[in-house]
Amino acid sequence: MTLVKDPVCGMMVPPDGDRMALHKGRPFRFCSELCKAAFLKGPEKYSIGHPNGGLPSHGTRRIAYFSMEVALASAMPTYSGGLGVLAGDTLRSCADLKLPLVGVSLLYRQGYFQQSLDEMGSQSEQSVQWDPARFARSLPGTVEVTVEGRAVLIRAWQCDIAGQSGHLLPLLLLDTDMEENDPRDRALTGSLYGGDERYRFKQEIVLGFGGIRMLRALGYTELQRFHMNEGHAALLTLELLREGNSEQNGWDFNGVRDQCIFTTHTPVPVGHDQFSYDLVKEVLGDTMPVDLLQMLAGQDRLNMTLLALNMSAYVNGVAKRHGQISQEMFPGYTIDSITNGIHSVTWTAPSFQELYDRHMPGWRTDPFSLRYAVGIPNNEIQAAHVVAKGRLLEEVTRRTQTSFDPAVLTIGFARRATLYKRADLVFMDIDRLLELTKQVGGLQFIFSGKAHPKDGPGKAMIRRVVSIAKQLHPHIRLVYLDNYDLALAQLLTAGVDLWLNTPQRPLEASGTSGMKAAHNGVPSLSILDGWWIEGHIEGVTGWSIGPGPAEPGVDTSHEARELYDKLQTTIMPLYYRSHERWLDVMRQAITFNASFFNTQRMVQQYAASAYV
Ligand SMILES: *Cc1c(COP(=O)(O)O)cnc(C)c1O
């Protein structure tokens, strides 16, 4: 006879005992009248999702994680870049760790955009059609927010993110595309980073106010922590204040603050969302007193970062250096740092997954054991890399009809195409670059990255790289692959030989693509900014360009010169003439960096510093 669990005390009891109660058509058994009576008083309080009392009901989820974008699959275009990838990887690791967390974001029926590039590298943007029902299920029930005096109905879709052990973590995607809504409001959850600042503010109302109301409506009754991934979600603090407000007690600032966590991602003030109070008044009406907003979010403009800072008990930057810079930018606040990571299994290519499974079984649930990569023989690393490189070069041929030489040192550069990322730094001195390739072996480059539709200079940079490709032909092969997304990022970060990163200091808050590369044994050559300050050990995990973080800046041509020098005197000789030593660097990138720069470690730090 299989025993069943008493949902109140947890004792195992016979399945046919007399002390039984039906709840929602399901039978539950009890060890005593005491347990039965307790259950009947409030069945929802107990773990009744499973006949054995196994799965918790969602009422026991204590942490809500809010993000304007979440990246889970290429075919689910609810993200634009790094911020969304971080959110998706965070949720995956929370599911692996079975943390009691629920995610909240928006649905974006038209997504971010699909990028295509013409011959000259001019970007055009197409909206994406996708079927949310393939990834999520529509939940019954609606909540309401007020926008420009109109009631806007919001419904939610639930996407279940499965952890390594099968644990499901719910992500709620808010959707205003309902017949009852005014057409203007139906479009509010249409496109990510489309539209003007008024559209943007309304989206943030849906996320912040709507998100909290939806959680309440769905019965998330035990939430104690609200984590804002960037300031876009900061209006949630106002909703929490409003909920707790009463005639006798007034606004409970401390009570709300104790529950809120804010992760800032932007190292420059212009990166912070700000709205004029004229706009705020027009959109919010009198739903929130403006003097309260001014007190919490700035006198002149509603600054989302300031609001989040003022209303959070725990604030952090996304790498050690970024924490310091944020602290200098906001003196008087205490700003910690938790360095970003990536989800190890998601970003490890199949050939390296097999390798790790053989040498470090258990790495999927415990990526810290990637440190034991130190014992993997060179030839096996080489074999796994040849497969990953082959997959990438095949994709390059399929897309561009250009065949790359698998024997040639292949440099990858892919990220959002925007000025500070300086995709063109490596082309500062074309003659010098061409001279390098006269050395044994040569170089080839693979670029990718979307520019924001309104980022003219970012688009111009793509055109510049494409035109440089023509100049370099036929001495150096260079392709710019269009429509950078999760799937392409997986192929690229695993399949190149060297990952290049040349941001303008100190604008790279963290950067995560180099961590993806490290998970596949691909070393970085990078400016010392963001995560690389922590991940870089010269000649061991990769190489630096330019001065250390504490040293004064140098001009761009100096950085470019150092980049060429490193390639010429260190990197190319190692790759072509001491390939065993090159494989050592690959192994060390895994050992030192994959074992640390993962979201498993990152989420555990959030749990210890912010969620407890
Ligand atoms: C990882 C990733 C990013 C972020 O890369 P950074 O190095 O932080 O710039 C952006 N877009 C996609 C599709 C990614 O996979």
Side-chain angles (χ1 to χ4, degrees), residues 534-556:
E534 296 160 61
H536 160 258
I537 309 171
E538 184 70 12
V540 175
T541 57
W543 300 272
S544 66
I545 306 164
E551 297 166 45
V554 292
D555 64 28
T556 313

Side-chain angles (χ1 to χ4, degrees), residues 274-551:
Q274 299 191 30
F275 303 101
S276 79
Y277 281 111
D278 288 339
L279 172 69
V280 170
K281 276 182 251 179
E282 283 171 33
V283 177
L284 273 184
D286 53 8
T287 54
M288 285 313 284
V290 170
D291 55 351
L292 178 79
L293 298 180
Q294 287 180 308
M295 179 181 120
L296 296 172
Q299 281 301 316
D300 304 330
R301 293 166 77 76
L302 190 154
N303 180 323
M304 297 295 278
T305 300
L306 214 50
L307 177 60
L309 280 172
N310 284 329
M311 289 307 296
S312 298
Y314 180 84
V315 180
N316 72 291
V318 290
K320 288 190 166 62
R321 179 84 184 110
H322 178 241
Q324 289 166 355
I325 288 170
S326 306
Q327 183 68 80
E328 285 159 23
M329 204 158 43
F330 303 108
Y333 298 90
T334 302
I335 301 182
D336 200 3
S337 61
I338 294 179
T339 303
N340 279 346
I342 56 152
H343 187 254
S344 298
V345 176
T346 301
W347 292 104
T348 299
S351 57
F352 277 92
Q353 292 191 2
E354 279 167 36
L355 181 65
Y356 298 165
D357 284 341
R358 260 188 292 123
H359 287 273
M360 306 167 285
W363 72 279
R364 290 168 186 264
T365 47
D366 176 22
F368 303 122
S369 47
L370 289 167
R371 63 205 288 271
Y372 299 111
V374 73
I376 303 179
N378 279 357
N379 61 335
E380 296 193 38
I381 289 181
Q382 170 73 2
H385 179 66
V386 164
V387 174
K389 190 170 180 178
R391 288 177 76 214
L392 171 63
L393 298 190
E394 224 171 81
E395 179 69 7
V396 168
T397 307
R398 195 184 67 78
R399 288 185 181 219
T400 67
Q401 285 76 49
T402 312
S403 59
F404 271 48
D405 183 347
V408 170
L409 176 61
T410 304
I411 298 181
F413 185 106
R415 42 189 57 86
R416 195 153 48 86
T418 190
L419 274 192
Y420 87 84
K421 301 262 191 184
R422 300 193 300 186
D424 53 354
L425 185 80
V426 62
F427 306 118
M428 188 119 182
D429 183 348
I430 301 266
D431 293 335
R432 176 88 199 269
L433 191 62
L434 286 168
E435 202 179 294
L436 284 182
T437 58
K438 293 194 189 119
Q439 291 195 354
V440 50
L443 290 174
Q444 54 197 9
F445 290 91
I446 306 176
F447 277 73
S448 193
K450 297 177 180 177
H452 185 281
K454 288 184 191 144
D455 185 354
K459 290 181 175 178
M461 182 138 73
I462 301 177
R463 289 197 299 274
R464 200 148 60 243
V465 174
V466 168
S467 103
I468 286 164
K470 296 189 175 116
Q471 282 181 53
L472 296 177
H473 186 80
H475 309 290
I476 297 178
R477 295 186 194 86
L478 188 163
V479 290
Y480 199 110
L481 302 179
D482 58 14
N483 207 41
Y484 187 45
D485 62 6
L486 289 181
L488 183 54
Q490 283 168 326
L491 281 178
L492 265 169
T493 53
V496 297
D497 297 304
L498 182 68
W499 194 249
L500 180 67
N501 192 21
T502 50
Q504 186 185 333
R505 296 189 315 162
L507 299 185
E508 185 87 319
S510 165
T512 54
S513 55
M515 304 173 185
K516 301 168 189 167
H519 272 73
N520 297 283
V522 174
S524 285
L525 168 60
S526 170
I527 299 278
L528 281 165
D529 201 13
W531 84 283
W532 190 235
I533 296 170
E534 296 160 61
H536 160 258
I537 309 171
E538 184 70 12
V540 175
T541 57
W543 300 272
S544 66
I545 306 164
E551 297 166 45

Side-chain angles (χ1 to χ4, degrees), residues 238-257:
L238 301 177
E239 177 62 7
L240 294 176
L241 274 176
R242 204 193 52 77
E243 283 182 340
N245 186 30
S246 68
E247 284 281 326
Q248 307 108 303
N249 301 324
W251 304 106
D252 182 11
F253 297 111
N254 273 332
V256 171
R257 197 172 287 132

Side-chain angles (χ1 to χ4, degrees), residues 28 39 202 215 232 290 377 388 468 502 573 608:
F28 292 88
F39 181 80
K202 294 180 195 172
L215 287 168
H232 313 134
V290 170
I468 286 164
T502 50

Side-chain angles (χ1 to χ4, degrees), residues 182-203:
D182 184 284
R184 283 169 290 179
D185 302 328
R186 288 185 72 160
L188 276 184
T189 51
S191 81
L192 172 60
Y193 305 139
D196 55 9
E197 64 165 0
R198 174 179 291 255
Y199 181 74
R200 178 74 178 175
F201 185 57
K202 294 180 195 172
Q203 287 188 321

